Amino acid sequence: MSDLGSEEGSEAGEAAGGIGEYEGGRNSEGQRHGFGKAQLPNADTYEGEYECGLRNGHGTYRFKNGAIYTGDYLQNKKHGKGVFFYPDGSKYAGDWVHDQRQGYGEYLYANGDTYTGEWANNKRHGQGTYVYKDTGSKYVGCWVNGIQDGPAELIHLNHRFKGRFLNGKPLGRGKFIFDIGCEQHGEYIQPVQEKEEEEDEEPPLPLEPIWKVSEITKLTPWSPHDEELLDPREAAGASGTAVTDEAVSHPTSDAGGEGEGREEEVNQDQEDQEITDFGG
């Protein structure tokens, strides 16, 4: 049985007031009410506020494996503001709704990466910033169900990519902006997957998007949030810039953040496992 199951399994007993050791207030019906301390049969402990037999208000729940949640409860569910310390050293601090990470919060992962932003149904969802500890790079933009998706910037040490992401990969029109004062405009194109004749084999992995350069210009105000945009060549003509592709290093491998993307996927799997084990 997972630790989440053991926590939920303790609720009925706590409501009845007859399972585990308890020291604290009770109401006229004998239910746990007010401040109390409970030692549950599975060796978990809870210290905090109760209302009519249920964890309600502020409290601290300690799992037998070392995980700790301290924060707000509503009818035995993590609800409001709270911090969850996981056994592997990771931590989430932020909003909870009915036992789920939802609202705004910060997640510090075991490998040192961080995500700060919006959550929905335990997933990174909405606007948020993901920082990769090993490289210092960061993704700033939209997320959908835990995946990079929508307008965003991928910021590196001396350059950044501005464009759109789809299912965790850059796709469509975008630009690389370099600190030396120039931009490389272009488009990420999804290669066509060739169909294999043998149907019994596993489907091949999707091909990585390919960066196709259209022009190098001076700095321009283009943004992926814009609805109607000037063609990069028109922007170059307006600025009078005549720069070749060789004027700046080719950054194609950086926009996708392949190594960084793998770290982010590993951390997504970690989140999913913690949901299974602890409910958040």
Side-chain angles (χ1 to χ4, degrees), residues 127-185:
Q127 287 291 323
T129 299
Y130 191 103
V131 180
Y132 301 90
K133 179 179 180 295
D134 287 346
T135 63
S137 298
K138 60 182 177 180
Y139 172 96
V140 182
C142 293
W143 299 76
V144 176
N145 294 324
I147 300 174
Q148 298 167 348
D149 199 303
E153 286 189 72
L154 189 59
I155 303 171
H156 300 288
L157 181 62
N158 58 7
H159 72 280
R160 54 198 166 102
F161 171 77
K162 181 180 288 188
R164 286 183 173 271
F165 284 69
L166 180 66
N167 293 325
K169 301 292 183 181
L171 193 65
R173 193 175 172 189
K175 66 178 181 179
F176 286 90
I177 307 168
F178 296 87
D179 291 351
I180 59 175
C182 67
E183 298 177 348
Q184 184 186 83
H185 296 256

Side-chain angles (χ1 to χ4, degrees), residues 20 33 96 119 138 170 195 224 235 241 265 272:
H33 195 86
W96 298 81
W119 297 78
K138 60 182 177 180
K195 294 183 179 180
T241 305
E265 290 172 2
D272 294 340

Side-chain angles (χ1 to χ4, degrees), residues 173-175 183-187 212-218 220-223 226-239:
R173 193 175 172 189
K175 66 178 181 179
E183 298 177 348
Q184 184 186 83
H185 296 256
E187 181 179 9
K212 182 179 180 181
V213 179
S214 62
E215 190 64 78
I216 294 176
T217 73
K218 293 181 179 179
T220 66
W222 185 89
S223 168
D226 297 339
E227 292 295 330
E228 294 185 11
L229 309 169
L230 275 176
D231 184 273
R233 294 180 184 278
E234 295 177 12
S239 66

Side-chain angles (χ1 to χ4, degrees), residues 77-150:
K77 303 291 186 182
K78 295 181 286 289
H79 190 94
K81 300 289 185 181
V83 182
F84 206 120
F85 300 88
Y86 297 95
D88 63 0
S90 58
K91 179 183 75 171
Y92 171 80
D95 297 329
W96 298 81
V97 175
H98 299 304
D99 261 350
Q100 294 187 321
R101 296 187 292 270
Q102 184 146 329
Y104 187 89
E106 180 177 3
Y107 204 121
L108 170 63
Y109 296 92
N111 66 353
D113 291 358
T114 61
Y115 170 80
T116 305
E118 296 176 309
W119 297 78
N121 300 319
N122 280 322
K123 302 284 188 181
R124 301 186 286 268
H125 189 88
Q127 287 291 323
T129 299
Y130 191 103
V131 180
Y132 301 90
K133 179 179 180 295
D134 287 346
T135 63
S137 298
K138 60 182 177 180
Y139 172 96
V140 182
C142 293
W143 299 76
V144 176
N145 294 324
I147 300 174
Q148 298 167 348
D149 199 303

